[in-house]
Amino acid sequence: MKVTEEEIRPEKVFNEYLELTAIDTVTFFSNADSFEISCPSCGSSDSKVWVKKSLFTYKSCPSCYTIYVSPRPVIESFNAYYTDSPSTKFWATTFYKITEAARREKLWKPKAEMIKQRILKFGEGVPVEYIIDIGGGYGVFDEEIKAIMDIKAIVIEPSVHLAQICRDKGLEVLEKFMEEILADELPAGRKCYVSFELFEHLHDPARFLQTVFNCMNKGDMFIFTTLSGMGVDIQLLGEHAKALSPPHHLNFLNPKSVTAILEKNGFEVLEAITPGKLDVDILKKNKEYINDIFWKNVLDYLNESELSGLQDFIASSGLSSHMMISCIKP
Ligand SMILES: [Zn+2]
């Protein structure tokens, strides 16, 4: 199914969101204390400034190509921002409402199908009884996966507003941050933890992974999606890449560096792929910002069907900016 960026991120509404974000960034972060961090994947402190965007600096690690925000404002500033700011409210209400139907069809249904396939592929032996959806938001994924397989879903969602929406849909909810969950609050039985588009927001990715790992039992799975800094659109568009959106997106690992940090924290990685579909669409729309002559020409030279082949190549080479990682607690 062809997905265009316009359907899931309508330009006019998305730009309004970005304008609100720019104002919030000044409100919540211009006076925030911040501190230098080393590469969140490999720990290297040799990273160089990659791009600056609004008040934030993205660095790129020369060892593992992870892109990340450093200096990093203290967590209190992020908590204040996420709890009560005009742009997060706009995202959760206006933006989401306008795009919900398209997102359900074009993003969540295919995602539920992909997760189902992975549970069947990697979950051999003991059947998986529960989906634990970390930061489940509106619970759309959970509705969709329950529709296509025999599985129970529990949503972990700290926002009062979103948790209520999930309950109204008949979903079981733990209204907490993942970091506050105790292992005995979750039922026994084999589980597959999932989190979607959350990892890039995390203030401390290693701490998050340790929390998830400690909650898991041997044989439980963890499947998540996040942005890859080796994605062709991010690499070519630099500061003009909309995915580089502080204060939201702080960490852009890549299939190799995310595998490394997971293994360091005890997980066994089964697969790290980039099944993205939007890269070429995004590049075409932002051609004016591409400096590389080859890529500029390629986007004009290839016809629609060849561009679709190029997108498939980008995805299968691990060079799309959207990645999905499946791992297990061994
Ligand atoms: Zn690194």
Side-chain angles (χ1 to χ4, degrees), residues 42-184:
C42 74
S44 167
S45 49
D46 296 331
S47 299
K48 301 281 178 300
V49 172
W50 194 60
V51 297
K52 291 190 183 229
K53 198 156 178 178
S54 62
L55 301 169
F56 292 72
T57 301
Y58 286 93
K59 291 197 170 145
S60 172
C61 174
S63 304
C64 73
Y65 300 100
T66 292
I67 294 166
Y68 59 99
V69 166
S70 179
R72 190 162 289 207
V74 294
I75 192 155
E76 288 75 14
S77 306
F78 289 95
N79 289 345
Y81 168 74
Y82 280 113
T83 309
D84 184 23
S85 69
S87 62
T88 48
K89 193 169 168 216
F90 182 83
W91 178 270
T93 55
T94 310
F95 184 85
Y96 197 85
K97 273 206 193 85
I98 291 170
T99 58
E100 180 172 11
R103 283 178 172 256
R104 180 184 292 273
E105 290 304 315
K106 301 291 172 80
L107 293 182
W108 292 113
K109 283 191 175 172
K111 205 166 263 178
E113 188 55 48
M114 283 195 81
I115 299 293
K116 178 187 174 183
Q117 284 167 14
R118 269 144 195 84
I119 289 176
L120 297 177
K121 181 176 172 188
F122 297 125
E124 9 177 277
V126 192
V128 175
E129 280 183 64
Y130 292 93
I131 284 282
I132 310 293
D133 188 358
I134 306 167
Y138 290 77
V140 181
F141 167 78
D142 306 275
E143 293 179 280
E144 293 303 328
I145 195 145
K146 282 170 69 177
I148 56 169
M149 71 188 295
D150 182 20
I151 200 157
K152 293 168 216 140
I154 297 174
V155 178
I156 297 178
E157 176 50 61
S159 147
V160 183
H161 170 67
L162 294 172
Q164 191 54 46
I165 289 175
C166 288
R167 277 191 212 101
D168 292 344
K169 287 176 170 178
L171 294 165
E172 192 178 330
V173 186
L174 287 171
E175 196 178 307
K176 288 183 172 188
F177 283 99
M178 182 65 212
E179 286 81 353
E180 298 165 345
I181 301 283
L182 303 170
D184 64 6

